[in-house]
């Protein structure tokens, strides 16, 4: 749209003076004044505004980049790959569960496995 | 998957002090396709659920003694959600019965001896009445020699809804072995019974030798004899 406005402004500037109501002389007419002092700055301001707007519209790039990085296996961090080990309330360690059992009098359930329960590859 | 069940998770959290323990890192196979895609899969592994209770602890005892415990029961490998909770309920009741006894260990070994004999007796009578008997016969899983077939079977069972059959196998084959292990006279110097019995359970019942750095996979993945270092 801004290119379209700029092309209109340039075409107005290049068109011959027809000595109309806006023209007081042959060399400095209102048409040139309108073109170079009002239309052109307005178009430049619009272009700058467009640049600023596009600079704000980086969310898509950021999202796409992050998705690409996430999908790339080598860029997957271990912390990102950790998962919640179910809905059970787990103690931090076996010793902690035994300590809690001494107070609550509940038996201790120790789930042993190769790998980590919060690792999706376990 | 099992611990994501709302009812089971609520039951476990309410009636037990739960903890999980990584015995060792799980072996993984990593296939690099060369185009940025890498496939990672576990090769072997098995699980066990111990039910235990702490033994007496005085304030002057060391941190190691804080893990002193008596093993009440163990659930080898995977079970269906219903069977798993039934085993937990039985262990919970057993704990309530022996919790305040002085000779709890003796009572526990007797109980496991009876359970092992009872399960063997049921198995010896055949599986004619067992709806999973024919499927079990199709498994024909050897108890030794192919220890890591169990892991593959577990994963396959989950994916293909065969967990029922695997659970039945663990109930009829592995559970008696686990009961027999707990029926043996306990080592008196083993304050941490779970830690003392874990290597035996994995080697004798689950077919995973934790002392072997290759977990018995050496002949299959790099060639050579079992236990090659």
């Amino acid at each position: 749209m801004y290119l379209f406005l700029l092309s209109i402004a340039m075409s107005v500037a290049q068109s011959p003076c027809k000595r109309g109501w806006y023209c007081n002389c042959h060399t400095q007419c209102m048409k040139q004044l309108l073109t170079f002092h009002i239309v052109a700055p307005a178009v430049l301001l619009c272009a700058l505004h467009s640049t600023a707007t596009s600079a704000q519209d980086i969310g898509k790039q950021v999202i796409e980049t992050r998705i690409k990085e996430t999908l790339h296996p080598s860029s997957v961090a271990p912390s990102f790959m950790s998962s919640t080990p179910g809905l059970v309330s787990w103690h931090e360690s076996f010793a902690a569960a035994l300590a809690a059992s001494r107070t609550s009098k509940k038996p201790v359930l120790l789930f042993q496995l190769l790998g980590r329960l919060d690792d999706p590859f376990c | 998957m099992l611990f994501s069940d709302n009812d089971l998770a609520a039951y476990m959290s309410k009636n037990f002090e739960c903890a999980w323990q990584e015995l060792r890192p799980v072996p993984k196979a990593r296939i690099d396709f060369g185009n940025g895609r890498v496939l990672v899969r576990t090769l072997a592994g098995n699980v066990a659920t111990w039910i235990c209770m702490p033994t007496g602890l005085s304030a002057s005892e060391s941190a190691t003694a804080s893990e002193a415990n008596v093993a009440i029961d163990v659930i080898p490998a995977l079970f269906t959600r219903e069977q798993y909770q039934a085993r937990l309920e039985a262990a919970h009741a057993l704990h309530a019965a022996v919790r305040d006894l002085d000779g709890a260990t003796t009572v526990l070994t007797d109980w496991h001896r009876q359970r092992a004999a009872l399960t063997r007796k049921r198995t010896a009578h055949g599986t004619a009445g067992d709806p999973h008997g024919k499927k079990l016969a199709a498994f024909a899983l050897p108890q030794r020699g192919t220890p890591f077939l169990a892991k593959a079977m577990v994963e396959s069972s989950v994916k293909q809804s065969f967990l029922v059959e695997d659970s039945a196998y663990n109930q009829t084959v592995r559970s008696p072995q686990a009961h027999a292990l707990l029926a043996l006279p306990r080592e008196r110097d083993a304050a941490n019974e779970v830690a003392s019995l874990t290597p035996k359970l994995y080697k004798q019942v689950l077919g995973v030798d934790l002392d072997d750095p290759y977990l018995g996979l050496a002949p299959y993945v790099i060639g050579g004899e079992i236990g090659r270092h």
Side-chain angles (χ1 to χ4, degrees):
Chain A
M1 185 181 72
Y2 303 111
L3 290 175
F4 177 70
L5 290 174
L6 186 61
S7 65
I8 292 176
M10 295 304 293
S11 64
V12 170
Q14 291 173 359
S15 62
C17 177
K18 296 180 180 177
R19 290 176 176 267
W21 59 270
Y22 51 85
C23 186
N24 293 326
C25 65
H26 291 283
T27 56
Q28 293 184 347
C29 63
M30 288 297 292
K31 181 182 70 177
Q32 290 175 334
L33 182 67
L34 180 70
T35 302
F36 293 106
H37 293 277
I38 298 176
V39 176
V43 169
L44 285 174
L45 283 174
C46 289
L48 289 173
H49 174 70
S50 172
T51 305
T53 303
S54 63
Q56 291 176 351
D57 190 21
I58 59 173
K60 184 171 180 293
Q61 292 179 350
V62 171
I63 291 173
E64 287 180 345
T65 303
R66 288 178 180 171
I67 289 175
K68 288 176 182 176
E69 290 176 353
T70 301
L71 291 177
H72 197 279
S74 61
S75 64
V76 175
S79 59
F80 175 82
M81 293 302 293
S82 63
S83 62
T84 305
L87 303 172
V88 179
S89 299
W90 300 101
H91 286 280
E92 291 183 356
S93 64
F94 184 35
L98 286 168
S101 175
R102 289 188 174 93
T103 304
S104 67
K105 304 299 181 185
K106 296 179 186 175
V108 173
L109 185 153
L110 178 64
F111 185 75
Q112 293 178 326
L113 71 162
L114 306 185
R116 296 181 58 82
L117 193 59
D118 55 0
D119 185 344
F121 291 120
C122 80
Chain B
M1 185 178 70
L2 196 64
F3 299 137
S4 298
D5 183 277
N6 285 326
D7 294 336
L8 179 62
Y11 173 78
M12 290 172 62
S13 301
K14 180 183 177 183
N15 295 285
F16 295 91
E17 301 293 350
C18 303
W20 62 270
Q21 183 181 47
E22 178 189 18
L23 290 174
R24 55 151 290 162
V26 64
K28 298 174 184 175
R30 184 176 183 273
I31 302 174
D32 190 343
F33 289 93
N35 58 356
R37 288 175 170 78
V38 178
L39 179 67
V40 181
R41 289 291 183 272
T42 56
L43 274 183
N46 223 321
V47 299
T49 305
W50 289 94
I51 310 300
C52 63
M53 60 182 181
T55 55
L57 175 69
S58 64
S60 60
E61 287 181 294
S62 63
T64 305
S66 66
E67 293 193 1
N69 63 79
V70 172
I72 297 173
D73 197 4
V74 64
I75 306 173
L78 286 178
F79 283 80
T80 62
R81 179 222 173 284
E82 292 77 13
Q83 285 184 305
Y84 191 75
Q85 182 162 343
R87 290 291 301 265
L88 291 181
E89 289 172 354
H92 190 269
L94 183 61
H95 167 262
V98 303
R99 183 177 59 196
D100 298 324
L101 294 179
D102 289 335
T105 305
T106 306
V107 175
L108 288 170
T109 51
D110 290 342
W111 186 84
H112 283 290
R113 189 177 298 114
Q114 293 172 7
R115 294 290 299 180
L118 181 65
T119 315
R120 283 199 192 96
K121 188 177 179 182
R122 286 177 181 168
T123 307
H125 283 198
T127 54
D130 185 351
H132 309 299
K134 293 181 180 177
K135 296 175 181 176
L136 275 175
F139 272 165
L141 183 67
Q143 296 181 22
R144 298 286 186 272
T146 56
F148 299 101
L149 189 57
K151 169 69 172 174
M153 287 178 63
V154 168
E155 291 182 342
S156 174
S157 298
V158 172
K159 292 174 183 175
Q160 302 176 30
S161 301
F162 286 162
L163 183 60
V164 172
E165 286 85 350
D166 196 71
S167 180
Y169 174 80
N170 292 328
Q171 180 68 30
T172 55
V173 177
R174 284 177 164 157
S175 286
Q177 295 174 347
H179 285 306
L181 180 66
L182 290 176
L184 295 174
R186 310 292 175 88
E187 297 178 17
R188 295 192 176 187
D189 57 342
N192 188 341
E193 282 196 351
V194 169
S196 173
L197 293 169
T198 292
K200 298 174 184 173
L201 175 81
Y202 270 76
K203 187 173 184 178
Q204 298 174 15
V205 179
L206 300 176
V208 178
D209 187 357
L210 296 175
D211 294 328
D212 181 4
Y214 290 96
L215 290 174
L217 288 171
Y220 307 104
V221 296
I222 59 176
E225 70 282 5
I226 295 177
R228 173 178 173 179
H229 291 199

